[in-house]
Amino acid sequence: MPAARDIMTPGAECVGAEESVLDAARKLTGLGVGAVPICGTDDRLKGVLTDRDIVVKVLGQGKDPAQTKAGELAQGEAVTIGADDGAEEILATMSRHKVRRLPVIDGHRLVGMVALADVARALPDSKAGDLLEALSTD
Protein backbone atom coordinates (compact mmCIF):
# COMPACT_ATOMS: atom_id res chain seq x y z
CA MET A 1 0.00 0.00 0.00
CA PRO A 2 1.28 3.48 -0.80
CA ALA A 3 2.20 5.98 1.92
CA ALA A 4 0.52 9.35 2.41
CA ARG A 5 3.46 11.14 0.78
CA ASP A 6 2.88 9.05 -2.37
CA ILE A 7 -0.77 9.95 -2.79
CA MET A 8 -1.06 13.43 -1.24
CA THR A 9 -1.22 16.73 -3.03
CA PRO A 10 2.09 18.34 -2.05
CA GLY A 11 2.74 21.96 -1.16
CA ALA A 12 -0.40 22.73 0.83
CA GLU A 13 -0.70 26.42 1.66
CA CYS A 14 -1.78 27.54 5.11
CA VAL A 15 -4.03 30.37 6.10
CA GLY A 16 -2.75 32.15 9.18
CA ALA A 17 -4.78 31.79 12.37
CA GLU A 18 -4.83 35.60 12.63
CA GLU A 19 -6.02 36.10 9.05
CA SER A 20 -9.66 36.93 8.48
CA VAL A 21 -12.12 34.34 7.23
CA LEU A 22 -12.68 36.65 4.25
CA ASP A 23 -8.98 36.36 3.36
CA ALA A 24 -9.20 32.60 3.85
CA ALA A 25 -12.20 32.44 1.50
CA ARG A 26 -10.21 34.37 -1.11
CA LYS A 27 -7.35 31.91 -0.69
CA LEU A 28 -9.71 28.94 -1.15
CA THR A 29 -11.07 30.58 -4.29
CA GLY A 30 -7.63 31.41 -5.67
CA LEU A 31 -6.34 27.90 -5.07
CA GLY A 32 -9.53 26.26 -6.32
CA VAL A 33 -9.82 24.08 -3.22
CA GLY A 34 -12.47 23.42 -0.59
CA ALA A 35 -10.20 23.32 2.46
CA VAL A 36 -7.03 24.96 3.68
CA PRO A 37 -4.95 24.22 6.80
CA ILE A 38 -4.87 26.85 9.55
CA CYS A 39 -1.35 27.54 10.83
CA GLY A 40 -0.42 29.55 13.90
CA THR A 41 2.33 32.14 14.22
CA ASP A 42 4.51 29.28 15.53
CA ASP A 43 4.05 27.61 12.10
CA ARG A 44 2.21 24.73 13.78
CA LEU A 45 -0.99 23.31 12.37
CA LYS A 46 -4.08 24.50 14.29
CA GLY A 47 -6.82 22.94 12.20
CA VAL A 48 -8.41 22.87 8.77
CA LEU A 49 -10.83 25.49 7.47
CA THR A 50 -13.38 24.31 4.91
CA ASP A 51 -15.73 26.21 2.65
CA ARG A 52 -18.56 24.61 4.63
CA ASP A 53 -17.12 25.99 7.90
CA ILE A 54 -17.27 29.48 6.41
CA VAL A 55 -20.90 29.08 5.36
CA VAL A 56 -22.18 27.34 8.50
CA LYS A 57 -20.05 28.84 11.28
CA VAL A 58 -19.63 32.38 9.97
CA LEU A 59 -22.19 33.40 7.37
CA GLY A 60 -24.98 31.21 8.74
CA GLN A 61 -24.50 32.69 12.20
CA GLY A 62 -24.44 36.27 10.96
CA LYS A 63 -20.77 36.84 11.75
CA ASP A 64 -18.68 39.25 9.70
CA PRO A 65 -16.09 37.23 7.71
CA ALA A 66 -13.82 40.29 7.57
CA GLN A 67 -13.77 40.47 11.38
CA THR A 68 -13.72 36.75 12.20
CA LYS A 69 -10.27 35.19 12.48
CA ALA A 70 -9.59 31.85 10.80
CA GLY A 71 -8.12 30.56 14.05
CA GLU A 72 -11.49 31.01 15.77
CA LEU A 73 -12.80 28.15 13.62
CA ALA A 74 -9.99 25.72 14.54
CA GLN A 75 -11.49 23.28 17.03
CA GLY A 76 -9.36 21.15 19.30
CA GLU A 77 -6.30 19.35 18.02
CA ALA A 78 -5.96 19.07 14.27
CA VAL A 79 -6.52 15.60 12.83
CA THR A 80 -3.46 14.76 10.71
CA ILE A 81 -1.68 11.87 9.11
CA GLY A 82 2.05 11.24 9.01
CA ALA A 83 3.81 11.37 5.65
CA ASP A 84 4.95 7.76 6.01
CA ASP A 85 1.58 6.38 7.18
CA GLY A 86 -0.01 3.97 4.75
CA ALA A 87 -3.31 4.15 2.94
CA GLU A 88 -4.92 1.81 5.49
CA GLU A 89 -4.05 4.25 8.30
CA ILE A 90 -5.40 7.14 6.24
CA LEU A 91 -8.59 5.17 5.69
CA ALA A 92 -8.93 4.42 9.41
CA THR A 93 -8.25 8.03 10.44
CA MET A 94 -10.70 9.49 7.94
CA SER A 95 -13.36 6.98 9.01
CA ARG A 96 -12.79 7.48 12.74
CA HIS A 97 -12.89 11.28 12.57
CA LYS A 98 -15.44 11.54 9.72
CA VAL A 99 -13.21 13.82 7.64
CA ARG A 100 -12.66 13.91 3.89
CA ARG A 101 -9.30 15.71 3.94
CA LEU A 102 -6.23 15.27 6.11
CA PRO A 103 -3.16 17.46 6.42
CA VAL A 104 -0.02 15.40 5.93
CA ILE A 105 2.80 16.21 8.31
CA ASP A 106 6.44 15.22 8.41
CA GLY A 107 7.53 15.85 11.99
CA HIS A 108 5.70 19.12 12.69
CA ARG A 109 5.98 20.42 9.13
CA LEU A 110 2.97 20.46 6.83
CA VAL A 111 3.98 18.79 3.56
CA GLY A 112 0.65 18.27 1.81
CA MET A 113 -3.01 17.33 1.95
CA VAL A 114 -4.60 13.99 1.23
CA ALA A 115 -8.25 14.00 0.16
CA LEU A 116 -10.87 11.32 -0.11
CA ALA A 117 -10.35 11.23 -3.89
CA ASP A 118 -6.60 10.61 -3.41
CA VAL A 119 -7.28 7.67 -1.10
CA ALA A 120 -9.97 6.28 -3.39
CA ARG A 121 -7.51 6.20 -6.29
CA ALA A 122 -4.87 4.45 -4.15
CA LEU A 123 -7.09 1.79 -2.59
CA PRO A 124 -8.86 -1.20 -4.08
CA ASP A 125 -12.46 -0.35 -5.03
CA SER A 126 -13.94 -2.25 -2.08
CA LYS A 127 -11.85 -0.32 0.47
CA ALA A 128 -12.68 3.00 -1.18
CA GLY A 129 -16.36 2.09 -1.03
CA ASP A 130 -16.05 1.24 2.68
CA LEU A 131 -14.49 4.65 3.34
CA LEU A 132 -17.17 6.50 1.44
CA GLU A 133 -19.86 4.60 3.31
CA ALA A 134 -18.20 5.36 6.68
CA LEU A 135 -18.04 9.07 5.86
CA SER A 136 -21.61 9.19 4.62
CA THR A 137 -23.24 7.74 7.74
CA ASP A 138 -23.65 9.30 11.18
PDB file of all heavy atoms in Angstrom, residues 4 7-9 35 81 90 94 99-104 112-122 131 135:
ATOM      1  N   ALA A   4       1.184   8.060   2.603  1.00  0.00           N
ATOM      2  CA  ALA A   4       0.519   9.355   2.414  1.00  0.00           C
ATOM      3  C   ALA A   4       1.320  10.251   1.478  1.00  0.00           C
ATOM      4  O   ALA A   4       0.753  10.917   0.607  1.00  0.00           O
ATOM      5  CB  ALA A   4       0.311  10.032   3.764  1.00  0.00           C
ATOM      6  N   ILE A   7       0.534   9.671  -2.213  1.00  0.00           N
ATOM      7  CA  ILE A   7      -0.774   9.954  -2.790  1.00  0.00           C
ATOM      8  C   ILE A   7      -1.293  11.356  -2.483  1.00  0.00           C
ATOM      9  O   ILE A   7      -2.302  11.770  -3.034  1.00  0.00           O
ATOM     10  CB  ILE A   7      -1.820   8.901  -2.351  1.00  0.00           C
ATOM     11  CG1 ILE A   7      -2.022   8.915  -0.846  1.00  0.00           C
ATOM     12  CG2 ILE A   7      -1.438   7.534  -2.851  1.00  0.00           C
ATOM     13  CD1 ILE A   7      -3.154   8.004  -0.370  1.00  0.00           C
ATOM     14  N   MET A   8      -0.602  12.095  -1.625  1.00  0.00           N
ATOM     15  CA  MET A   8      -1.062  13.434  -1.238  1.00  0.00           C
ATOM     16  C   MET A   8      -0.852  14.449  -2.364  1.00  0.00           C
ATOM     17  O   MET A   8      -0.111  14.205  -3.313  1.00  0.00           O
ATOM     18  CB  MET A   8      -0.288  13.911  -0.004  1.00  0.00           C
ATOM     19  CG  MET A   8       1.159  14.233  -0.309  1.00  0.00           C
ATOM     20  SD  MET A   8       2.049  14.739   1.162  1.00  0.00           S
ATOM     21  CE  MET A   8       3.592  15.294   0.420  1.00  0.00           C
ATOM     22  N   THR A   9      -1.511  15.577  -2.205  1.00  0.00           N
ATOM     23  CA  THR A   9      -1.216  16.735  -3.033  1.00  0.00           C
ATOM     24  C   THR A   9      -0.180  17.532  -2.255  1.00  0.00           C
ATOM     25  O   THR A   9      -0.461  17.994  -1.142  1.00  0.00           O
ATOM     26  CB  THR A   9      -2.488  17.583  -3.258  1.00  0.00           C
ATOM     27  OG1 THR A   9      -3.454  16.768  -3.910  1.00  0.00           O
ATOM     28  CG2 THR A   9      -2.180  18.806  -4.099  1.00  0.00           C
ATOM     29  N   ALA A  35     -10.721  23.306   1.092  1.00  0.00           N
ATOM     30  CA  ALA A  35     -10.204  23.317   2.462  1.00  0.00           C
ATOM     31  C   ALA A  35      -8.763  23.805   2.455  1.00  0.00           C
ATOM     32  O   ALA A  35      -8.024  23.570   1.496  1.00  0.00           O
ATOM     33  CB  ALA A  35     -10.261  21.916   3.061  1.00  0.00           C
ATOM     34  N   ILE A  81      -2.257  13.171   9.439  1.00  0.00           N
ATOM     35  CA  ILE A  81      -1.680  11.870   9.111  1.00  0.00           C
ATOM     36  C   ILE A  81      -0.190  12.086   8.861  1.00  0.00           C
ATOM     37  O   ILE A  81       0.202  13.131   8.341  1.00  0.00           O
ATOM     38  CB  ILE A  81      -2.397  11.237   7.883  1.00  0.00           C
ATOM     39  CG1 ILE A  81      -2.112   9.743   7.778  1.00  0.00           C
ATOM     40  CG2 ILE A  81      -2.078  11.961   6.604  1.00  0.00           C
ATOM     41  CD1 ILE A  81      -2.891   8.919   8.745  1.00  0.00           C
ATOM     42  N   ILE A  90      -4.637   5.984   6.713  1.00  0.00           N
ATOM     43  CA  ILE A  90      -5.396   7.142   6.241  1.00  0.00           C
ATOM     44  C   ILE A  90      -6.887   6.797   6.264  1.00  0.00           C
ATOM     45  O   ILE A  90      -7.709   7.568   6.765  1.00  0.00           O
ATOM     46  CB  ILE A  90      -4.965   7.562   4.824  1.00  0.00           C
ATOM     47  CG1 ILE A  90      -3.496   7.988   4.817  1.00  0.00           C
ATOM     48  CG2 ILE A  90      -5.854   8.691   4.295  1.00  0.00           C
ATOM     49  CD1 ILE A  90      -2.908   8.128   3.426  1.00  0.00           C
ATOM     50  N   MET A  94      -9.573   8.785   8.559  1.00  0.00           N
ATOM     51  CA  MET A  94     -10.704   9.492   7.942  1.00  0.00           C
ATOM     52  C   MET A  94     -12.022   8.931   8.451  1.00  0.00           C
ATOM     53  O   MET A  94     -12.943   9.690   8.767  1.00  0.00           O
ATOM     54  CB  MET A  94     -10.640   9.389   6.418  1.00  0.00           C
ATOM     55  CG  MET A  94      -9.606  10.268   5.779  1.00  0.00           C
ATOM     56  SD  MET A  94      -9.669  10.096   3.971  1.00  0.00           S
ATOM     57  CE  MET A  94      -8.824  11.590   3.491  1.00  0.00           C
ATOM     58  N   VAL A  99     -13.753  12.713   8.423  1.00  0.00           N
ATOM     59  CA  VAL A  99     -13.208  13.819   7.636  1.00  0.00           C
ATOM     60  C   VAL A  99     -12.865  13.335   6.233  1.00  0.00           C
ATOM     61  O   VAL A  99     -12.552  12.160   6.030  1.00  0.00           O
ATOM     62  CB  VAL A  99     -11.964  14.459   8.298  1.00  0.00           C
ATOM     63  CG1 VAL A  99     -12.327  15.109   9.626  1.00  0.00           C
ATOM     64  CG2 VAL A  99     -10.849  13.447   8.499  1.00  0.00           C
ATOM     65  N   ARG A 100     -12.922  14.241   5.288  1.00  0.00           N
ATOM     66  CA  ARG A 100     -12.656  13.913   3.886  1.00  0.00           C
ATOM     67  C   ARG A 100     -11.293  14.403   3.420  1.00  0.00           C
ATOM     68  O   ARG A 100     -10.872  14.106   2.315  1.00  0.00           O
ATOM     69  CB  ARG A 100     -13.756  14.516   3.004  1.00  0.00           C
ATOM     70  CG  ARG A 100     -15.097  13.891   3.273  1.00  0.00           C
ATOM     71  CD  ARG A 100     -16.209  14.605   2.533  1.00  0.00           C
ATOM     72  NE  ARG A 100     -17.488  14.019   2.859  1.00  0.00           N
ATOM     73  CZ  ARG A 100     -18.094  13.107   2.120  1.00  0.00           C
ATOM     74  NH1 ARG A 100     -17.560  12.692   0.998  1.00  0.00           N
ATOM     75  NH2 ARG A 100     -19.249  12.605   2.493  1.00  0.00           N
ATOM     76  N   ARG A 101     -10.633  15.185   4.268  1.00  0.00           N
ATOM     77  CA  ARG A 101      -9.303  15.708   3.938  1.00  0.00           C
ATOM     78  C   ARG A 101      -8.430  15.658   5.182  1.00  0.00           C
ATOM     79  O   ARG A 101      -8.903  15.945   6.274  1.00  0.00           O
ATOM     80  CB  ARG A 101      -9.390  17.160   3.478  1.00  0.00           C
ATOM     81  CG  ARG A 101     -10.277  17.404   2.291  1.00  0.00           C
ATOM     82  CD  ARG A 101     -10.496  18.915   2.128  1.00  0.00           C
ATOM     83  NE  ARG A 101     -11.468  19.218   1.115  1.00  0.00           N
ATOM     84  CZ  ARG A 101     -12.756  19.427   1.350  1.00  0.00           C
ATOM     85  NH1 ARG A 101     -13.240  19.367   2.568  1.00  0.00           N
ATOM     86  NH2 ARG A 101     -13.577  19.728   0.361  1.00  0.00           N
ATOM     87  N   LEU A 102      -7.168  15.308   4.987  1.00  0.00           N
ATOM     88  CA  LEU A 102      -6.230  15.268   6.106  1.00  0.00           C
ATOM     89  C   LEU A 102      -4.945  16.008   5.740  1.00  0.00           C
ATOM     90  O   LEU A 102      -4.371  15.754   4.683  1.00  0.00           O
ATOM     91  CB  LEU A 102      -5.846  13.822   6.438  1.00  0.00           C
ATOM     92  CG  LEU A 102      -6.867  12.951   7.150  1.00  0.00           C
ATOM     93  CD1 LEU A 102      -6.374  11.514   7.197  1.00  0.00           C
ATOM     94  CD2 LEU A 102      -7.113  13.479   8.557  1.00  0.00           C
ATOM     95  N   PRO A 103      -4.497  16.896   6.610  1.00  0.00           N
ATOM     96  CA  PRO A 103      -3.164  17.464   6.421  1.00  0.00           C
ATOM     97  C   PRO A 103      -2.125  16.364   6.634  1.00  0.00           C
ATOM     98  O   PRO A 103      -2.277  15.523   7.528  1.00  0.00           O
ATOM     99  CB  PRO A 103      -3.053  18.520   7.526  1.00  0.00           C
ATOM    100  CG  PRO A 103      -4.454  18.765   7.974  1.00  0.00           C
ATOM    101  CD  PRO A 103      -5.201  17.485   7.746  1.00  0.00           C
ATOM    102  N   VAL A 104      -1.100  16.370   5.818  1.00  0.00           N
ATOM    103  CA  VAL A 104      -0.018  15.396   5.930  1.00  0.00           C
ATOM    104  C   VAL A 104       1.172  16.118   6.540  1.00  0.00           C
ATOM    105  O   VAL A 104       1.610  17.150   6.028  1.00  0.00           O
ATOM    106  CB  VAL A 104       0.354  14.806   4.552  1.00  0.00           C
ATOM    107  CG1 VAL A 104       1.478  13.789   4.695  1.00  0.00           C
ATOM    108  CG2 VAL A 104      -0.870  14.169   3.889  1.00  0.00           C
ATOM    109  N   GLY A 112       1.672  18.462   2.828  1.00  0.00           N
ATOM    110  CA  GLY A 112       0.647  18.269   1.806  1.00  0.00           C
ATOM    111  C   GLY A 112      -0.709  17.991   2.412  1.00  0.00           C
ATOM    112  O   GLY A 112      -0.888  18.040   3.630  1.00  0.00           O
ATOM    113  N   MET A 113      -1.648  17.704   1.536  1.00  0.00           N
ATOM    114  CA  MET A 113      -3.011  17.333   1.945  1.00  0.00           C
ATOM    115  C   MET A 113      -3.389  16.064   1.196  1.00  0.00           C
ATOM    116  O   MET A 113      -3.042  15.918   0.020  1.00  0.00           O
ATOM    117  CB  MET A 113      -4.020  18.422   1.592  1.00  0.00           C
ATOM    118  CG  MET A 113      -3.884  19.706   2.376  1.00  0.00           C
ATOM    119  SD  MET A 113      -4.530  19.601   4.055  1.00  0.00           S
ATOM    120  CE  MET A 113      -6.291  19.687   3.757  1.00  0.00           C
ATOM    121  N   VAL A 114      -4.081  15.174   1.881  1.00  0.00           N
ATOM    122  CA  VAL A 114      -4.605  13.986   1.229  1.00  0.00           C
ATOM    123  C   VAL A 114      -6.129  14.054   1.352  1.00  0.00           C
ATOM    124  O   VAL A 114      -6.664  14.309   2.422  1.00  0.00           O
ATOM    125  CB  VAL A 114      -4.008  12.681   1.808  1.00  0.00           C
ATOM    126  CG1 VAL A 114      -4.371  12.468   3.245  1.00  0.00           C
ATOM    127  CG2 VAL A 114      -4.399  11.482   0.981  1.00  0.00           C
ATOM    128  N   ALA A 115      -6.796  13.902   0.226  1.00  0.00           N
ATOM    129  CA  ALA A 115      -8.248  13.998   0.164  1.00  0.00           C
ATOM    130  C   ALA A 115      -8.853  12.631  -0.101  1.00  0.00           C
ATOM    131  O   ALA A 115      -8.161  11.696  -0.519  1.00  0.00           O
ATOM    132  CB  ALA A 115      -8.661  14.976  -0.929  1.00  0.00           C
ATOM    133  N   LEU A 116     -10.142  12.552   0.135  1.00  0.00           N
ATOM    134  CA  LEU A 116     -10.873  11.319  -0.109  1.00  0.00           C
ATOM    135  C   LEU A 116     -10.606  10.779  -1.515  1.00  0.00           C
ATOM    136  O   LEU A 116     -10.369   9.590  -1.701  1.00  0.00           O
ATOM    137  CB  LEU A 116     -12.376  11.577   0.085  1.00  0.00           C
ATOM    138  CG  LEU A 116     -13.334  10.437  -0.215  1.00  0.00           C
ATOM    139  CD1 LEU A 116     -13.052   9.234   0.662  1.00  0.00           C
ATOM    140  CD2 LEU A 116     -14.768  10.899  -0.054  1.00  0.00           C
ATOM    141  N   ALA A 117     -10.593  11.663  -2.502  1.00  0.00           N
ATOM    142  CA  ALA A 117     -10.354  11.231  -3.886  1.00  0.00           C
ATOM    143  C   ALA A 117      -8.965  10.608  -4.047  1.00  0.00           C
ATOM    144  O   ALA A 117      -8.804   9.630  -4.786  1.00  0.00           O
ATOM    145  CB  ALA A 117     -10.517  12.401  -4.845  1.00  0.00           C
ATOM    146  N   ASP A 118      -7.960  11.159  -3.347  1.00  0.00           N
ATOM    147  CA  ASP A 118      -6.601  10.609  -3.413  1.00  0.00           C
ATOM    148  C   ASP A 118      -6.576   9.184  -2.865  1.00  0.00           C
ATOM    149  O   ASP A 118      -5.961   8.292  -3.449  1.00  0.00           O
ATOM    150  CB  ASP A 118      -5.627  11.465  -2.602  1.00  0.00           C
ATOM    151  CG  ASP A 118      -5.536  12.901  -3.076  1.00  0.00           C
ATOM    152  OD1 ASP A 118      -5.566  13.127  -4.305  1.00  0.00           O
ATOM    153  OD2 ASP A 118      -5.448  13.800  -2.221  1.00  0.00           O
ATOM    154  N   VAL A 119      -7.253   8.989  -1.732  1.00  0.00           N
ATOM    155  CA  VAL A 119      -7.283   7.674  -1.100  1.00  0.00           C
ATOM    156  C   VAL A 119      -8.055   6.690  -1.977  1.00  0.00           C
ATOM    157  O   VAL A 119      -7.633   5.551  -2.165  1.00  0.00           O
ATOM    158  CB  VAL A 119      -7.916   7.753   0.309  1.00  0.00           C
ATOM    159  CG1 VAL A 119      -7.967   6.379   0.962  1.00  0.00           C
ATOM    160  CG2 VAL A 119      -7.126   8.715   1.185  1.00  0.00           C
ATOM    161  N   ALA A 120      -9.161   7.152  -2.542  1.00  0.00           N
ATOM    162  CA  ALA A 120      -9.972   6.276  -3.393  1.00  0.00           C
ATOM    163  C   ALA A 120      -9.172   5.768  -4.589  1.00  0.00           C
ATOM    164  O   ALA A 120      -9.302   4.605  -4.971  1.00  0.00           O
ATOM    165  CB  ALA A 120     -11.222   7.021  -3.862  1.00  0.00           C
ATOM    166  N   ARG A 121      -8.331   6.631  -5.154  1.00  0.00           N
ATOM    167  CA  ARG A 121      -7.505   6.204  -6.289  1.00  0.00           C
ATOM    168  C   ARG A 121      -6.431   5.207  -5.863  1.00  0.00           C
ATOM    169  O   ARG A 121      -6.014   4.361  -6.647  1.00  0.00           O
ATOM    170  CB  ARG A 121      -6.854   7.419  -6.952  1.00  0.00           C
ATOM    171  CG  ARG A 121      -7.781   8.212  -7.842  1.00  0.00           C
ATOM    172  CD  ARG A 121      -7.034   9.252  -8.650  1.00  0.00           C
ATOM    173  NE  ARG A 121      -6.454  10.305  -7.829  1.00  0.00           N
ATOM    174  CZ  ARG A 121      -7.094  11.422  -7.469  1.00  0.00           C
ATOM    175  NH1 ARG A 121      -8.320  11.634  -7.875  1.00  0.00           N
ATOM    176  NH2 ARG A 121      -6.488  12.324  -6.731  1.00  0.00           N
ATOM    177  N   ALA A 122      -5.971   5.284  -4.613  1.00  0.00           N
ATOM    178  CA  ALA A 122      -4.867   4.454  -4.148  1.00  0.00           C
ATOM    179  C   ALA A 122      -5.317   3.112  -3.571  1.00  0.00           C
ATOM    180  O   ALA A 122      -4.514   2.202  -3.452  1.00  0.00           O
ATOM    181  CB  ALA A 122      -4.057   5.215  -3.095  1.00  0.00           C
ATOM    182  N   LEU A 131     -14.789   3.323   2.811  1.00  0.00           N
ATOM    183  CA  LEU A 131     -14.488   4.651   3.335  1.00  0.00           C
ATOM    184  C   LEU A 131     -15.620   5.611   3.029  1.00  0.00           C
ATOM    185  O   LEU A 131     -16.096   6.337   3.904  1.00  0.00           O
ATOM    186  CB  LEU A 131     -13.174   5.191   2.747  1.00  0.00           C
ATOM    187  CG  LEU A 131     -12.830   6.640   3.121  1.00  0.00           C
ATOM    188  CD1 LEU A 131     -12.721   6.813   4.633  1.00  0.00           C
ATOM    189  CD2 LEU A 131     -11.534   7.061   2.442  1.00  0.00           C
ATOM    190  N   LEU A 135     -17.941   7.612   5.798  1.00  0.00           N
ATOM    191  CA  LEU A 135     -18.036   9.068   5.859  1.00  0.00           C
ATOM    192  C   LEU A 135     -19.449   9.565   5.615  1.00  0.00           C
ATOM    193  O   LEU A 135     -19.789  10.679   5.994  1.00  0.00           O
ATOM    194  CB  LEU A 135     -17.078   9.705   4.837  1.00  0.00           C
ATOM    195  CG  LEU A 135     -15.601   9.508   5.116  1.00  0.00           C
ATOM    196  CD1 LEU A 135     -14.773  10.107   3.994  1.00  0.00           C
ATOM    197  CD2 LEU A 135     -15.188  10.099   6.456  1.00  0.00           C
TER     198      LEU A 135
END
